[in-house]
Amino acid sequence: MCLWPIESNDSPIQVKTIITGAHQTLVELAKKQGYFVDLNSPPVDNNIAARQASRLEGPADTLIQSSEDKDIRSQLALDELYKISHTNELCVTHENPSFLKVQYNGEIPQIVTIANHKYLLPSKSTFLLSNLDTFKEIYPHAGGPFDVILIDPPWQNKSVKRLKSYWCESDTSLENLDVPQLAAPNCLVVVWVTNRRKHQEFVLETLFKKWNVQDWVTWFWLKVTRSGEPVNDMGSSHKKPYEVLILGRHKKGDPAGLNDVRCSPDGPKSLPESRVILTIPCSLHSKKPPLTEILAEFLPDNPRCLELFARNLWPGWTSWGNEVFKHQHLDYFEDVEDPESTGSDKDQGDEG
């Protein structure tokens, strides 16, 4: 993952020019660090297991609530979560049938088995499962207030509606999210937005005004292939190779922004006007890159982090959604060798 600061501009032509320039610079830097260099090797399809997992009808799918569901569906999955909670540092809360809370307090990732399927729980992760209709009921149980709230709304669009790949929420439903109740003072609010101008204007003119989010900036996520080229043509009118992030600070009791603390020595660090984040995207639909390290410099130490409309878990984060456990199936992951650990073991062996 690479970052590049740029100056924001509302003009599509300027955005294209700036992202193109950032792309060239980032790829050059990445190549110097050993990325995008082994391009002669045959392509490897390392997503077979992930595609198979996506077709499974296991607890990850039964632990899903549609907008019509009032209760969690899978009693089997719930029973097994309770069963393993006594031995895996898990705390399971299901006092209210409209939502489920699972908190894992372990320092290292934990693999749990539910209905013969294996799932990965990241360290210090918490998830809350409910639909948007019952979202307000989780406020007292969420564990806030939060220093960062990341929102990846299921925006309505024709393609998703036709394919029915996931459920969508209306603009009115998104307005009902009471972000201020979950936010700490100067909470960093981060929203993934499509390239549709309508959605971007809705975030700025409706959501951010209602939530009193100020000092907003725009960042871009540029998706590239294994060779470092954009996944789509930059000038494509159908599908852009980048997505948009809009970030701002929630101000408590300061609608006019008179007490802006951005310049205060004790205040939060100011957000750069714009940045380009460059990654090779995951093959899973709508899977976003992790932002923990990218946002760390703009957050206090040991921040409380919340993601809304999540479909997977992150270490140290609280995640909420009606499919929040979906992408934790072990088939979505692969074992990787830790170079530092390998080097350390080798050194110890040489000394012996």
Side-chain angles (χ1 to χ4, degrees), residues 333-337:
F333 300 86
E334 62 180 357
D335 291 327
V336 294
E337 192 174 77

Side-chain angles (χ1 to χ4, degrees), residues 219-235:
W219 293 5
F220 301 95
W221 170 36
L222 178 61
K223 294 173 275 189
V224 298
T225 65
R226 294 176 63 213
S227 62
E229 296 300 318
V231 295
N232 300 104
D233 183 74
M234 194 71 70

